[in-house]
């Protein structure tokens, strides 16, 4: 500034009226790829693989690679978002992307790579494992695993903390169905509270308290003031029919 007669502020005051407004849409700084989803519901980006929903197998999607994340779009709809992998030859799989396929083939669930990654990320908690083990013991491995997958599908509509709370409450009461977990999770969401003991895989059975779906529906029904039904009219059908008296004329006939 030694050789300039004006300050930076003075120069900017002259430049300000000439500036154009910022664009309405943000400038995209990521690199865009058009990739085909393979049969494993994954896309390969820079030697690494990222999962997408199984319904997109065989389709071409738009992938935007940022410095710290990978975003996948089907048309204009965002279908997947992953933290970017730095090393080569790795994969990042989201368990939720495979649930529709696993509910048809529950035998593949225990050994799924996406399940192990969900455990490592803390999304599949010890409460999940405890409820799963109890459900398999009560219903068998296949039906118990399918019930767990149905519970995981609820995570698309319920917050993770509320779902874990519902699992813990259902486990305490021995309610090993997806409907019972859904009800308890919604009760926790309505109360907007999650008990701190939800990470305990072996809760105290003496504190078991669960409301079943049928009982909850009946409790919210309006009072029925209609009179009780009567079957008095039908009782008349049970009485023996009385034969009409014979007239004197009919009695004289041979």
């Amino acid at each position: 500034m030694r050789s300039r007669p004006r300050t930076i502020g003075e120069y900017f005051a002259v430049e300000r009226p000439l500036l154009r407004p910022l664009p309405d849409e943000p400038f995209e700084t990521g690199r865009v790829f058009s990739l085909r989803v393979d049969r494993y519901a994954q896309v390969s980006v820079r030697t690494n693989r990222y999962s997408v929903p199984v319904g997109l197998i065989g389709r071409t999607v738009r992938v935007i690679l940022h410095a710290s994340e990978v975003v996948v779009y089907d048309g204009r709809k965002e279908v997947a978002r992953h933290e970017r992998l730095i090393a080569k030859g790795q994969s990042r799989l989201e368990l939720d992307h495979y649930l529709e396929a696993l509910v048809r083939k529950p035998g593949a669930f225990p050994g799924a790579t996406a399940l192990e990654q969900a455990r490592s990320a803390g999304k599949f908690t010890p409460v999940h494992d405890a409820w799963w083990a109890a459900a398999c013991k009560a219903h068998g491995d296949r039906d118990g695993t399918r019930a767990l997958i149905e519970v995981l599908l609820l995570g698309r509509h319920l917050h993770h903390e509320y779902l874990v709370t519902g699992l813990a409450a259902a486990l305490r009461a021995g309610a090993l169905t997806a409907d019972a977990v859904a009800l308890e999770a919604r009760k926790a969401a309505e109360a907007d509270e999650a008990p701190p003991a939800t990470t305990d895989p072996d809760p105290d059975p003496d504190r078991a308290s669960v409301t079943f779906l049928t009982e909850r529906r009946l409790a919210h029904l309006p009072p029925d003031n209609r009179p009780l039904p009567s079957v008095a009219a039908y009782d008349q059908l049970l009485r023996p029919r009385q034969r009409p008296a014979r007239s004197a004329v009919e009695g004289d006939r041979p």
Side-chain angles (χ1 to χ4, degrees):
M1 298 298 299
R2 295 180 181 178
S3 60
R4 299 183 181 183
R6 300 181 182 179
T7 64
I8 295 177
E10 293 173 341
Y11 278 114
F12 183 67
V14 176
E15 185 179 0
R16 185 194 298 266
L18 305 177
L19 297 177
R20 294 184 177 182
L22 294 175
D24 296 333
E25 298 182 359
F27 181 75
E28 181 57 66
T29 59
R31 183 171 180 179
V32 181
F33 299 87
S34 182
L35 303 174
R36 184 179 179 85
V37 182
D38 63 16
R39 61 175 181 169
Y40 302 107
Q42 300 172 16
V43 291
S44 180
V45 185
R46 292 282 185 88
T47 74
N48 291 320
R49 309 183 71 83
Y50 301 88
S51 67
V52 299
V54 293
L56 299 176
I57 291 177
R59 299 187 59 173
T60 300
V61 295
R62 182 165 55 96
V63 181
I64 301 180
L65 178 65
H66 295 278
S68 58
E69 64 180 2
V70 176
V71 187
V72 184
Y73 292 90
D74 179 29
R76 295 186 178 183
K77 179 182 178 182
E78 180 182 323
V79 294
R81 183 181 292 265
H82 297 278
E83 182 182 355
R84 180 177 176 178
L85 295 168
I86 304 302
K88 295 183 178 180
Q90 295 184 338
S91 62
R92 191 175 296 280
L93 310 179
E94 184 70 32
L95 181 59
D96 181 76
H97 293 162
Y98 297 94
L99 294 180
E100 285 85 358
L102 291 171
V103 76
R104 296 192 301 268
K105 298 180 179 180
F109 184 82
T113 305
L115 175 60
E116 295 302 322
Q117 292 192 9
R119 280 198 179 101
S120 301
K123 297 180 180 179
F124 197 89
T125 65
V127 178
H128 287 80
D129 277 315
W131 192 92
W132 182 17
C136 289
K137 184 178 180 180
H139 309 301
D141 292 343
R142 181 181 180 86
D143 292 338
T145 301
R146 183 178 284 113
L148 174 67
I149 297 173
E150 292 176 356
V151 169
L152 295 177
L153 286 168
L154 296 172
R156 298 179 180 180
H157 311 286
L158 295 170
H159 195 275
H160 177 72
E161 293 183 1
Y162 299 143
L163 189 60
V164 175
T165 301
L167 280 168
L171 182 61
R172 288 195 297 268
L176 305 175
T177 64
D179 287 342
V181 176
L183 182 58
E184 292 302 315
R186 291 190 180 100
K187 287 168 58 179
E190 291 174 0
D192 195 24
E193 61 181 5
T198 55
T199 57
D200 184 6
D202 187 18
D204 185 5
D206 295 335
R207 295 184 290 111
S209 176
V210 65
T211 304
F212 290 94
L213 190 58
T214 302
E215 297 177 1
R216 182 177 175 84
R217 288 174 177 172
L218 292 175
H220 288 77
L221 288 176
D224 189 357
N225 298 322
R226 295 175 299 176
L228 294 176
S230 174
V231 295
Y234 294 95
D235 291 340
Q236 298 179 2
L237 301 176
L238 303 178
R239 298 174 182 174
R241 297 181 60 184
Q242 298 180 358
R243 300 180 62 183
R246 297 176 63 183
S247 63
V249 177
E250 291 177 344
D252 296 339
R253 292 179 182 179

